[in-house]
Amino acid sequence: MRLQNKVIIITGSCTGIGKAIAQRCVAEGARVVIHGLEKEWGEAVVAELGKDKAVLLIEDISNEGAPQRLVDMAVNTYGQLDAVVNNAAIVASSNIHTTDLDFLRKILEVNTIAPFALIKAALPHLRKQSGCVLNIGSVNAFSGEPNLMAYSISKGGLMTLTQNLGDTLFREDGVRVNQINPGWVLTENEAIRKREHGLADDWYKDLPNVYAPAGRIIWPAEIAAAAVYWLADECGPISGQIMTLEQYPFIGRNPPKDTSTIPVNTKSG
C-alpha cells in the first residue's frame, strides 16, 4: 500500500499503459481520476476499480481548459491532489514527407503541450501535498523510428520538460518531476496498429530476439509496477530523472551483424 490515501490523475487511462497504472495505483491504496477518449472503456475501468476509488473524465486533453477540469475533478471529488501521470498521447506514423504542419502541431499539442498545461494547473495542489509528476515518455525520445518522426519529436520535448521542471519545481515547490521511457509494449492499441501495418494477427508471438530477447515484448502491468516507485514517497528526493524501461540497453546498442540478425542466402551459384 505504497500509495495509501494519495489522489492521482492519470491521463489516457481508459486503455493500455494508463489503465494498467490506474489499476496498480488503486491496488496500492490510491484513488484515481481516469481520463481518455473512449467512454465505454473508461466506464468499464471505473466499474472495475470501484466508484469510491475512481472517477472519469472523457475529453481530449488538448481541449481548452481540459487540464483544469481534470484538476478540479480530483480536488472536488477527493479534496486533494498528490500526483499527476501524463500518459495520454497520440502515436501516429509519419515521416518528413507525410508530416504537414497541422499534423505536427496536433501531435505536439497532445503529447507535449498538454502535459505542461496539466502540470501548471495541478501545481498549486501538488505544492500543498509535496506531490509529484510522472511523465510517460518513450524510447523514441532519443531519436526515434524513421516512421514515427512527429511522435519522436514530441517525446523528446517531453523529456526536456521533465528534466527542466524536475530541477526547478523540486527546488522551488518541493514537487518531484520524473519520467519513464517505455520501449515496445503490448498494449491493445499497439496490437491493432501493427496489424494495420500489415503484420499477422499474432505478430507478437514470434519476434526476432534482436527486438525481444525475452521472447516477448513488455506488458503494460510491468510498466505500471515501475511507475509506483516514482509516485510513492519512497522515491525520496529523486527528481528530474529519466528511466528507460526496455529489455536491452537502448543507448549505444550495437546488435551483431551475423546470421542471428541477417537472413542467410541459401541459394548457390
Side-chain angles (χ1 to χ4, degrees):
M1 305 296 283
R2 290 177 288 172
L3 303 177
Q4 187 71 41
N5 298 323
K6 293 189 182 296
V7 174
I8 304 173
I9 293 172
I10 306 162
T11 66
S13 48
C14 294
T15 185
I17 291 172
K19 175 183 174 181
I21 292 174
Q23 290 168 326
R24 186 61 185 261
C25 285
V26 169
E28 295 276 356
R31 292 164 292 172
V32 297
V33 177
I34 302 298
H35 160 268
L37 300 176
E38 306 89 357
K39 186 173 186 290
E40 290 185 4
W41 292 359
E43 289 173 346
V45 173
V46 170
E48 174 193 337
L49 298 179
K51 292 186 178 180
D52 59 329
K53 298 291 186 181
V55 290
L56 174 65
L57 179 68
I58 297 295
E59 185 174 8
D60 187 327
I61 191 63
S62 66
N63 286 351
E64 184 72 28
Q68 188 62 55
R69 283 188 283 277
L70 272 170
V71 171
D72 291 345
M73 177 173 280
V75 175
N76 292 339
T77 304
Y78 299 121
Q80 66 190 63
L81 177 60
D82 297 272
V84 167
V85 179
N86 279 307
N87 171 72
I90 297 175
V91 184
S93 297
S94 76
N95 56 38
I96 192 169
H97 305 293
T98 59
T99 301
D100 60 28
L101 292 181
D102 286 341
F103 178 86
L104 180 59
R105 288 187 182 110
K106 180 59 178 176
I107 296 291
L108 290 171
E109 282 285 347
V110 173
N111 296 6
T112 314
I113 296 173
F116 166 78
L118 182 52
I119 293 169
K120 192 167 185 178
L123 184 56
H125 303 282
L126 297 178
R127 184 188 299 119
K128 290 178 187 176
Q129 300 297 117
S130 298
C132 66
V133 175
L134 179 63
N135 292 326
I136 310 299
S138 168
V139 293
N140 286 288
F142 296 112
S143 175
E145 295 179 38
N147 65 346
L148 287 174
M149 188 198 72
Y151 174 77
S152 301
I153 291 170
S154 73
K155 291 301 186 178
L158 184 67
M159 190 162 65
T160 299
L161 177 70
T162 296
Q163 293 178 307
N164 186 290
L165 295 183
D167 176 30
T168 304
L169 295 190
F170 195 45
R171 284 187 293 107
E172 297 179 359
D173 300 281
V175 174
R176 295 182 289 105
V177 185
N178 291 294
Q179 179 163 323
I180 54 178
N181 281 343
W184 201 0
V185 180
L186 187 58
T187 64
E188 299 95 327
N189 287 333
E190 180 65 4
I192 294 169
R193 198 157 35 240
K194 292 307 180 187
R195 287 199 295 270
E196 291 174 347
H197 292 171
L199 298 183
D201 286 349
D202 60 350
W203 58 265
Y204 51 86
K205 293 182 179 179
D206 188 26
L207 293 170
N209 65 11
V210 69
Y211 298 120
R216 64 171 176 84
I217 55 178
I218 303 165
W219 297 324
E222 292 168 326
I223 303 298
V228 171
Y229 167 75
W230 299 100
L231 296 169
D233 294 338
E234 66 192 282
C235 184
I238 301 173
S239 186
Q241 301 306 306
I242 311 294
M243 172 172 279
T244 299
L245 299 178
E246 184 53 289
Q247 57 186 287
Y248 48 79
F250 195 79
I251 302 300
R253 190 179 189 224
N254 193 16
K257 283 77 173 175
D258 57 24
T259 57
S260 68
T261 60
I262 301 173
V264 178
N265 186 346
T266 57
K267 294 180 180 179
S268 59

